[in-house]
Amino acid sequence: MAVQRVHRASYTMDVAAPAGVVYGLVADTTQWPLFVPASIHVERLDFDGVHDRFHMWATANGTVRSWLSRRTLDATRHRIDFRHELPAAPTTAMGGSWTVEPRGPGRCRLLLEHDFTVDGDRAADAAWVRRATDTNSRAELAQLKETAEQWSRLDDLLLTFEDSVRIDGPADLVYAFLYDVADWPRLLPHVSRLDVREDEPGVQLMAMDTLTADGSVHTTESVRVCFPHAGRIVYKQTTTPALMAAHTGEWSVIPDETGVTAVSQHSVLLREEAVDRVLGPGTTVAQARQYVREALGRNSTATLALAKQHAETAVRML
């Protein structure tokens, strides 16, 4: 039997932030879509403080891949070992470790190590995986460095909020309205263009032009992961407006005995250096937070209102 070659790669980044801060960012997978560029969505399946198991969706060389992963966390040593439980093709095994090494007061070094094998040890597949690993790892470390070095202001730069509406109509009609985004340009006044493709069932790649209150147009690109049986659609903007370093969200359709609650949830990491340029000199971060909250909330509420109209009108017509 042929022995598969184990391919290895390692990456380091010096960070001007305490080791505990950097370790905390790496340890919390639920926040990775905000802090790790390639990460689209994480569904945590089990976590006991030491052992972490989750389903990850991420971009790799322009495609969206998903896998199950297990991790073992050692907070004392600032080390996390990981192994993909169900690797994404063409890998047959993928694992590695994160290590945060203190380098003096307020400084540390972040080390990321990977090992992987590919099916049949094919050179083209190994090169594809190495290219994806290299691109994603370098981007991950750079974004984690930038985020960690803002740690004293991070609470001000992060915001999470939601809007909801009650709907007297079937949950499946509400979900269908939120899922069928190709129809949005003719239904939503704030959407002037939307292109979508779904190469894999339940994973949508979307490009959209959105009209803002001042008449300007924001172009965004997103990946959406759809869970129809749970009434959920989660997404991450992979191309964001200038004011946002990262933006994730979720549409939820929650039925009960009297109707449906449709919820839009947003999480945003502000790009601090863009505040003055986008909103004008002297604008505070607090004002930028309010601006983003109002802009996103206005569009989400308009979408939910039309989903409500769609579902309730269909019921009356029946």
Side-chain angles (χ1 to χ4, degrees), residues 164-203:
S164 65
V165 299
R166 287 289 296 172
I167 300 174
D168 184 16
D172 58 345
L173 289 181
V174 180
Y175 183 87
F177 183 93
L178 299 172
Y179 174 82
D180 293 330
V181 290
D183 295 334
W184 282 10
R186 66 180 180 83
L187 298 173
L188 301 178
H190 63 275
V191 177
S192 59
R193 178 189 67 92
L194 195 150
D195 299 320
V196 62
R197 76 176 198 264
E198 190 168 334
D199 300 330
E200 176 185 342
V203 179

Side-chain angles (χ1 to χ4, degrees), residues 74-96:
D74 187 335
T76 302
R77 297 171 58 210
H78 291 156
R79 180 183 173 94
I80 300 171
D81 295 305
F82 62 88
R83 184 66 49 186
H84 291 190
E85 188 175 304
L86 291 176
T91 60
T92 53
M94 171 69 82

Side-chain angles (χ1 to χ4, degrees), residues 128-310:
W128 190 96
V129 175
R130 185 173 291 277
R131 184 168 71 253
T133 301
D134 187 72
T135 300
N136 288 355
S137 296
R138 294 183 188 281
E140 287 169 13
L141 267 63
Q143 185 60 55
L144 285 167
K145 170 184 171 69
E146 181 178 338
T147 303
E149 290 180 350
Q150 297 175 310
W151 69 275
S152 63
R153 307 184 306 284
L154 202 53
D155 286 346
D156 294 329
L157 299 175
L158 286 169
L159 63 153
T160 296
F161 59 91
E162 66 179 40
D163 298 288
S164 65
V165 299
R166 287 289 296 172
I167 300 174
D168 184 16
D172 58 345
L173 289 181
V174 180
Y175 183 87
F177 183 93
L178 299 172
Y179 174 82
D180 293 330
V181 290
D183 295 334
W184 282 10
R186 66 180 180 83
L187 298 173
L188 301 178
H190 63 275
V191 177
S192 59
R193 178 189 67 92
L194 195 150
D195 299 320
V196 62
R197 76 176 198 264
E198 190 168 334
D199 300 330
E200 176 185 342
V203 179
Q204 298 177 329
L205 281 70
M206 186 174 83
M208 180 171 66
D209 289 342
T210 303
L211 299 174
T212 63
D214 62 8
S216 61
V217 175
H218 283 167
T219 299
T220 59
E221 295 182 0
S222 304
V223 177
R224 307 203 321 166
V225 182
C226 306
F227 303 94
H229 297 298
R232 299 171 59 219
I233 299 172
V234 299
Y235 63 88
K236 177 177 178 174
Q237 285 188 342
T238 52
T239 299
T240 60
L243 197 55
M244 293 183 277
H247 174 206
T248 65
E250 177 172 340
W251 301 98
S252 303
V253 180
I254 308 166
D256 56 41
E257 62 277 6
T258 62
V260 170
T261 301
V263 181
S264 171
Q265 182 267 328
H266 296 273
S267 293
V268 173
L269 175 62
L270 293 176
R271 183 175 282 115
E272 187 174 16
E273 67 273 17
V275 171
D276 280 359
R277 173 166 49 87
V278 175
L279 299 180
T283 304
T284 65
V285 169
Q287 289 170 324
R289 289 171 61 91
Q290 187 63 27
Y291 175 88
V292 168
R293 200 273 177 255
E294 290 177 356
L296 293 178
R298 181 167 53 247
N299 289 344
S300 294
T301 301
T303 302
L304 293 175
L306 285 167
K308 172 184 173 73
Q309 178 183 337
H310 171 75

Side-chain angles (χ1 to χ4, degrees), residues 62-133:
T63 66
V64 179
R65 301 296 175 99
S66 67
W67 57 84
L68 288 175
S69 189
R70 289 183 178 273
R71 305 193 310 164
T72 302
L73 288 74
D74 187 335
T76 302
R77 297 171 58 210
H78 291 156
R79 180 183 173 94
I80 300 171
D81 295 305
F82 62 88
R83 184 66 49 186
H84 291 190
E85 188 175 304
L86 291 176
T91 60
T92 53
M94 171 69 82
S97 64
W98 295 87
T99 307
V100 186
E101 303 171 350
R103 292 291 172 120
R107 303 193 65 83
C108 63
R109 175 167 291 174
L110 178 57
L111 170 65
L112 172 58
E113 297 180 291
H114 283 284
D115 62 76
F116 66 89
T117 60
V118 297
D119 189 22
D121 206 23
R122 290 184 287 267
D125 287 343
W128 190 96
V129 175
R130 185 173 291 277
R131 184 168 71 253
T133 301

